[in-house]
């Protein structure tokens, strides 16, 4: 039994090959040219019995028509064996959330193992030396916190893959009918039983504030000055406006909690996008009649990352609100 193990380029644009629909590798459907994730998966499965892919979480829930149809076909044909949702911030260069998808064309059961490995992660601090720029960068050592899965966590994951079982907060054996009833969404957290634990309010507040600060810094790491029509043509105008509104909301949140000694929120309050009628982009674009492919690819990747950071920030803010309400009511 042959196996492919792959960590392909994420969300890469590609061109449909000639007579693509007649190629056997696209029997489950032709992925859109805007995203090759499912092209990589189908190509691997056309040549191998098993495949393991490390991909962004967008593949688990995408509602893009062609991708949704392919995901559904992979599930209905019983090719998907397991999905392992990994902790965020496992890469040193990006905090994009990812998952491992394990495919097997010769499964012996009609179930899929869903796993959430976030609770198994441990945080470590690693040193990095600047790779580009002058001596002030290349001779400087940076410290960065990332999440890892240690040997014990990996052993636990491998044991569950060998003997799938339901484990609170970690795993769930899901039937194909259950996935069908969830519109063929294959995100593990949709299925796993989560037990809420009572935690120390102050400690939890500190962790949430740290998460908010990290996420907010990531969101503000890229600032764009972009022509409004270009933003519209790239399909990111609504996102640009939403991100700027988010910065305005952050100002209100900081003001609301400024007198609470337990809450230290370092949210970004500067607009990360400047929309202009001038022909301006952060990198100069001279060919205005047709956008260069590299700019379109960048826009797709940036939009996805920004959406993920914004969603993570909103979730953390909701957690903060819940804890603060509990704190205030308990002190009354």
């Amino acid at each position: 039994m042959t196996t492919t193990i792959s960590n392909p380029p994420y969300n890469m644009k590609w061109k449909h090959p000639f007579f693509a629909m007649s190629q056997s590798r696209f029997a489950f459907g032709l992925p859109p040219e805007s995203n090759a994730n499912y092209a990589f998966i189908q190509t691997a499965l056309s040549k191998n019995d098993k495949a393991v892919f490390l991909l962004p979480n967008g593949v688990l829930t995408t509602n893009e028509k062609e991708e949704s149809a392919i995901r559904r076909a992979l599930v209905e044909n019983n090719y998907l064996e397991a999905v392992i949702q990994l902790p965020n911030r496992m890469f040193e260069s990006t905090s994009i959330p990812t998952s491992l998808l394990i495919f097997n064309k010769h499964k012996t059961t009609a179930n899929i193992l869903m796993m959430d490995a976030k609770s198994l992660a441990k945080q470590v601090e690693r040193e990095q030396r600047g790779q580009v720029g002058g001596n002030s960068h290349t001779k400087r050592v940076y410290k960065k916190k990332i999440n890892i899965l240690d040997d014990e966590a990996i052993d636990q994951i491998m044991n569950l893959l060998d003997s799938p079982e339901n484990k609170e907060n970690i795993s769930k054996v899901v039937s194909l009918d259950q996935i069908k009833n969830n519109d063929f969404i294959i995100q593990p957290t949709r299925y796993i039983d989560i037990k809420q634990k009572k935690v120390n309010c102050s400690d939890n507040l500190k962790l949430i504030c740290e998460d908010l600060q990290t996420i907010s810094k990531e969101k503000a790491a890229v600032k764009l000055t972009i022509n409004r029509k270009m933003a519209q043509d790239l399909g990111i105008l609504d996102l640009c406006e939403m991100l700027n509104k988010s910065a305005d909301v952050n100002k209100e949140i900081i003001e609301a909690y400024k007198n609470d000694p337990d809450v230290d929120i370092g949210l970004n309050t500067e607009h990360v996008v400047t929309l202009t009628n001038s022909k301006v982009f952060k990198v100069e674009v001279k060919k205005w009649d047709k956008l260069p492919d590299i700019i379109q690819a960048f826009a797709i990747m940036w939009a996805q990352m920004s959406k993920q950071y914004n969603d993570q920030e909103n979730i953390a803010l909701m957690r903060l609100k819940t804890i603060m309400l509990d704190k205030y009511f308990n002190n009354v």
Side-chain angles (χ1 to χ4, degrees), residues 49 94 157 174 195 292:
D49 302 300
T94 177
I157 291 171
V174 181
K195 182 179 179 180

Side-chain angles (χ1 to χ4, degrees), residues 84-149:
I84 305 172
Q85 194 164 335
L86 298 173
N88 295 347
R89 300 198 296 271
M90 289 197 72
F91 297 101
E92 294 185 3
S93 58
T94 177
S95 59
I96 185 171
T98 57
S99 291
L100 282 171
L101 285 80
I102 301 174
F103 298 94
N104 184 351
K105 292 160 62 175
H106 304 289
K107 288 171 58 182
T108 57
T109 71
N111 297 323
I112 297 173
L113 176 65
M114 295 290 179
M115 294 183 60
D116 183 2
K118 292 195 291 293
S119 64
L120 304 179
K122 291 185 178 179
Q123 191 175 84
V124 298
E125 188 173 74
R126 290 184 178 171
E127 293 185 346
Q128 295 175 302
R129 191 174 297 278
Q131 300 297 312
V132 296
N135 288 339
S136 60
H137 291 285
T138 56
K139 291 186 177 181
R140 180 180 173 187
V141 175
Y142 300 84
K143 291 184 178 181
K144 186 170 185 178
K145 291 181 179 179
I146 65 169
N147 289 319
I148 65 164
L149 295 173

Side-chain angles (χ1 to χ4, degrees), residues 3 8-9 37 90 98 112 119 164 170 188 206 213 236 288 292 297 329:
T3 303
N37 288 338
M90 289 197 72
T98 57
I112 297 173
S119 64
I170 296 178
K206 182 179 178 182
Q213 290 172 11
I236 62 172
W288 290 95
F329 281 121

Side-chain angles (χ1 to χ4, degrees), residues 107-290:
K107 288 171 58 182
T108 57
T109 71
N111 297 323
I112 297 173
L113 176 65
M114 295 290 179
M115 294 183 60
D116 183 2
K118 292 195 291 293
S119 64
L120 304 179
K122 291 185 178 179
Q123 191 175 84
V124 298
E125 188 173 74
R126 290 184 178 171
E127 293 185 346
Q128 295 175 302
R129 191 174 297 278
Q131 300 297 312
V132 296
N135 288 339
S136 60
H137 291 285
T138 56
K139 291 186 177 181
R140 180 180 173 187
V141 175
Y142 300 84
K143 291 184 178 181
K144 186 170 185 178
K145 291 181 179 179
I146 65 169
N147 289 319
I148 65 164
L149 295 173
D150 60 16
D151 291 343
E152 182 180 350
I154 293 173
D155 286 343
Q156 189 169 349
I157 291 171
M158 294 305 296
N159 288 336
L160 284 168
L161 288 172
D162 290 337
S163 303
E165 64 174 316
N166 298 338
K167 199 164 185 178
E168 195 172 66
N169 295 334
I170 296 178
S171 64
K172 182 85 170 182
V173 179
V174 181
S175 68
L176 300 188
D177 285 338
Q178 286 176 281
I179 294 180
K180 180 179 179 180
N181 292 335
N182 277 280
D183 296 322
F184 294 92
I185 299 296
I186 54 174
Q187 186 173 32
T189 51
R190 180 73 67 96
Y191 304 94
I192 294 171
D193 298 322
I194 304 296
K195 182 179 179 180
Q196 298 295 332
K197 296 187 294 183
K198 188 174 182 62
V199 297
N200 182 283
C201 181
S202 297
D203 290 345
N204 209 27
L205 272 175
K206 182 179 178 182
L207 291 174
I208 292 173
C209 288
E210 289 178 354
D211 283 346
L212 281 170
Q213 290 172 11
T214 300
I215 295 165
S216 195
K217 286 179 181 178
E218 293 285 349
K219 278 180 65 179
V222 175
K223 295 185 179 181
L224 300 180
T225 299
I226 184 170
N227 173 270
R228 182 179 288 273
K229 185 178 185 305
M230 180 190 284
Q232 187 172 19
D233 291 343
L234 288 170
I236 62 172
L237 179 59
D238 290 343
L239 176 63
C240 292
E241 293 175 341
M242 180 188 70
L243 290 171
N244 284 343
K245 287 180 182 177
S246 175
D248 295 334
V249 171
N250 286 350
K251 292 179 183 178
E252 298 175 6
I253 293 171
I254 291 173
E255 180 67 22
Y257 292 120
K258 68 179 183 180
N259 294 322
D260 193 311
D262 293 328
V263 182
D264 178 20
I265 307 179
L267 293 173
N268 174 62
T269 58
E270 295 182 7
H271 287 185
V272 297
V273 179
T274 298
L275 294 168
T276 175
N277 292 326
S278 302
K279 292 184 176 180
V280 175
F281 194 52
K282 191 171 185 179
V283 292
E284 186 178 359
V285 179
K286 295 181 179 179
K287 191 176 181 182
W288 290 95
D289 57 329
K290 183 180 183 299

Side-chain angles (χ1 to χ4, degrees), residues 22 215 295:
S22 64
I215 295 165
I295 299 301

